[in-house]
Amino acid sequence: MRLSALLTGCVVAALLAFLVHFCLPLLDPKTLAGLLTADWRPFHGGFGILAMAAGSLLLALSAVPLAFPVAVGVCCFIHGLGSPRAARLVLRAVQLMTGVPTVVYGFVAVFVLVPLLRAAFHHGSGFSWLAAALGLAVLILPTMTLMIHSQFQVAEPRIRLTAAALGLTRAQRLLHLVVPLSRRGFAAALVLGFGRAVGDTMIPLMLSGNAAQLPGSPLDSLRALTAHIALVVATDSHSLAYLSLFAAGLFLFTATAGVTIALRWIQGGGRP
Amino acid sequence: MNRQPGFTLFCRLCAALPVLLVAGLLVFLWLQSRHALGPALFFGDADPVKAILGLAPVWDGIWPACAGTLCLVALAGLTAVPLGILCGIHLSEYATGRSARVLSLLVDILAGAPSIIMGLFGFALILYLRHSIAPEANASLLLSGVCLGLLVLPYMVNATATTLAALPADLRLLGPALGLTRWQAIRHILLPSAGRGIMSGVVLSIGRAAEDTAVIMLTGVVANAGLPRSLFGVYEALPFHIYTAAAEYRGPEDLERGFGAALVLLALTTVLFLAAGTLHRTMENRWRKGA
């Protein structure tokens, strides 16, 4: 028993150790400088992952604001604005969404969303920042909704009597009491959604077009770090390219570990 | 009386979105794949019985991919279930203070790590083995299974630990009252009572292992391998089949098969998640009534 607990700890440690071990050559300042550029031309000695890191951040930072208001709206509907039956139906739908494989979202988006964007904007192939951001927003919507929902469940019973005594309508109760009381849940949902969006592979890989560049507009193609890892492994190439993989992995791992720690901090009431 | 019509309308629209998305997804997949649904989707032109037994090769069906996914899930389960349950017991019953905090933080970090990191870990492991003790080490079914196991390990740990922690206090007193040792109490009282909660963790883990694509992409899945032959060989899997169908389909039949595979995978994971949810709920209700 002690052993298996130890083993779980070891898995995390080993994960980190492998990433660091394969990143060690990075310490050479020249290589590091090479990696920290936006220049990805593997056949000309350019192995910069900065464009991909920016791509990951841009995608996540655009998907979260897309999904967040919808998640809040869905929760308000479930907690009072909708009839109990409709609320149950919506909650069921959200729970079903958590079970949909990301590859299925990606697959359907390739044949529905991408042609739609192509037809609507007459710009490029449709495989773009916007397509991937919309896909990711759909992916993180249930995660964020359920997080806010659980916070509302805590906040609601506490204020039900007060709200009734004040004669507030359901909408007023939600807007003026439940929402301000759930600030911590909102923060947790934002952080969690960001973590999920940064870490997802299939949707950026299938929808973003994967051009290693900084996008000039939401209709341009970009490449996320996760998709970058998958693509470079698929096209067996130079050892420096591998190095950029592990640097990308380290970046992703630190980012998501930071998200986890931030979540704990938020849920622990500001204490680590 | 409603003073916030805009707010109410906004919430209604938001609430309609998940319902429409789920319904749209199902209808779209069904419409696109309805001509392909049937035994031919799985086995192509081959005889189903022979194909299942591995006697006849399947050329244009998704059976090899299904078989690969089943093998993966079994291997991931073998890795994650025993380890996860033991670690969960340790976390909720034995670990205290600082070590408990550190262990649960590690489990949470592992749970939050992107699946591609787990794939990269497997990939690095192969590179490392090649340079050190086993020069002919290669990406394989076993590696993918173990990496998927690591991916779902935190779900197992958390399911076990939270179920055990939620058991009513009188059950905890029962063991010492009967003069049982700590381990006997866990083995004969707490674990059997927590059975459903742990099962829901197992089912959820299986669902996660079945749907994940990023891990297997880096650790040995290929597009056309046929049925998995050995633990150390390459294999096909459903999620990867769907991915390649989107990227490089060669005709309408390929595409229909891709939609069919997506529908099969969706049905599989949905059933698993629903089962996990039901198990979890009955577990909660049981102790709420009993308490």
Side-chain angles (χ1 to χ4, degrees), chain A residues 1-2 4-9 11-12 14-15 18-19 21-22 69-70 72-74 76-77 81 89-90 92-105 107-108 110-112 138 141 169 171-172 174-176 195-196 198-202 205-206 226-227 229-231 233 242 245-246 248-250 252-253 256-257 260-261 264, chain B residues 1-4 7-8 10-12 14-19 21-22 25 28-29 82-83 86-87 89-90 94 101 103-110 112-118 120-121 123-125 127-128 131 150 153 157 183 186 208 211 213-214 217-218 239-240 242-243 245-246 249 255 258-259 262-263 265-266 269-270 273-274 281:
Chain A
M1 189 123 33
R2 201 46 60 86
S4 71
L6 210 64
L7 212 66
T8 311
V11 167
V12 180
L15 219 73
F18 260 105
L19 283 173
H21 171 78
F22 282 95
V70 181
V72 176
V74 171
C76 287
F77 184 83
L81 287 182
L89 176 75
V90 172
R92 261 295 149 87
V94 172
Q95 283 164 343
L96 271 182
M97 278 176 77
T98 59
V100 177
T102 51
V103 69
V104 171
Y105 277 137
F107 188 76
V108 171
V110 166
F111 296 104
V112 179
V138 171
L141 177 63
T169 64
Q172 283 170 332
L174 282 166
L175 266 180
H176 299 301
R196 282 292 308 270
V198 164
D200 188 66
T201 311
M202 295 323 285
L205 182 64
M206 293 170 91
T226 46
I229 296 176
L231 287 168
V233 170
Y242 280 164
L245 280 189
F246 294 111
L250 194 62
L252 280 173
F253 187 77
T256 52
T260 307
I261 292 168
R264 288 203 145 208
Chain B
M1 189 177 67
N2 191 347
R3 302 233 181 86
Q4 276 85 14
F7 174 67
T8 312
F10 171 74
C11 291
R12 293 234 162 100
C14 289
L17 207 61
V19 180
L21 274 172
V22 170
L25 190 71
F28 179 74
L29 280 179
L83 259 183
L86 287 178
C87 186
I89 294 175
H90 179 85
Y94 288 95
R101 273 210 306 282
L103 185 62
S104 82
L105 178 66
L106 286 181
V107 170
D108 278 2
I109 287 181
L110 197 61
S115 59
I116 191 116
I117 294 292
M118 235 48 85
L120 196 60
F121 173 67
F123 183 73
L125 195 65
L127 284 187
Y128 184 74
H131 287 301
L150 295 185
L153 179 63
V157 177
W183 170 242
I186 292 173
R208 284 266 173 250
E211 68 152 6
T213 323
M217 271 169 86
L218 269 60
F240 190 72
I242 297 168
Y243 167 66
Y249 60 92
L255 200 55
F259 278 111
L263 198 61
L265 185 65
L266 182 64
T269 54
T270 306
F273 278 97
L274 287 180
R281 253 196 312 286

Side-chain angles (χ1 to χ4, degrees), chain A residues 29-52:
Chain A
K30 223 173 98 192
T31 328
L32 188 62
L35 278 177
L36 291 184
T37 59
D39 177 34
W40 176 261
R41 281 175 304 165
F43 300 109
H44 300 95
F47 292 99
I49 58 163
L50 223 53
M52 279 65 104

Side-chain angles (χ1 to χ4, degrees), chain A residues 84-255:
Chain A
R85 258 183 82 172
R88 223 176 14 252
L89 176 75
V90 172
L91 191 60
R92 261 295 149 87
V94 172
Q95 283 164 343
L96 271 182
M97 278 176 77
T98 59
V100 177
T102 51
V103 69
V104 171
Y105 277 137
F107 188 76
V108 171
V110 166
F111 296 104
V112 179
L113 184 63
V114 170
L116 213 67
L117 290 178
R118 190 162 39 207
F121 294 104
H122 303 288
H123 180 97
S125 61
F127 290 96
S128 59
W129 176 8
L130 183 62
L134 286 172
L136 280 178
V138 171
L139 179 77
I140 63 177
L141 177 63
T143 319
M144 294 175 90
T145 309
L146 293 176
M147 183 54 122
I148 299 174
H149 170 63
S150 67
Q151 186 72 32
F152 274 21
Q153 269 181 326
V154 178
E156 266 244 296
R158 287 197 316 204
I159 54 100
R160 191 167 292 148
L161 268 180
T162 323
L166 288 171
L168 297 182
T169 64
R170 286 188 292 193
Q172 283 170 332
R173 186 179 75 197
L174 282 166
L175 266 180
H176 299 301
L177 289 174
V178 179
V179 168
L181 275 174
S182 308
R183 227 173 276 144
R184 190 177 291 166
F186 290 151
L190 285 173
V191 173
L192 191 65
F194 178 80
R196 282 292 308 270
V198 164
D200 188 66
T201 311
M202 295 323 285
I203 285 178
L205 182 64
M206 293 170 91
L207 298 180
S208 72
N210 294 318
Q213 60 179 17
L214 284 168
S217 86
L219 296 173
D220 282 349
S221 165
L222 59 65
R223 185 189 283 199
L225 280 175
T226 46
H228 178 67
I229 296 176
L231 287 168
V232 173
V233 170
T235 57
D236 215 33
S237 56
H238 199 272
S239 69
L240 250 177
Y242 280 164
L243 191 60
S244 85
L245 280 189
F246 294 111
L250 194 62
F251 181 91
L252 280 173
F253 187 77
T254 359

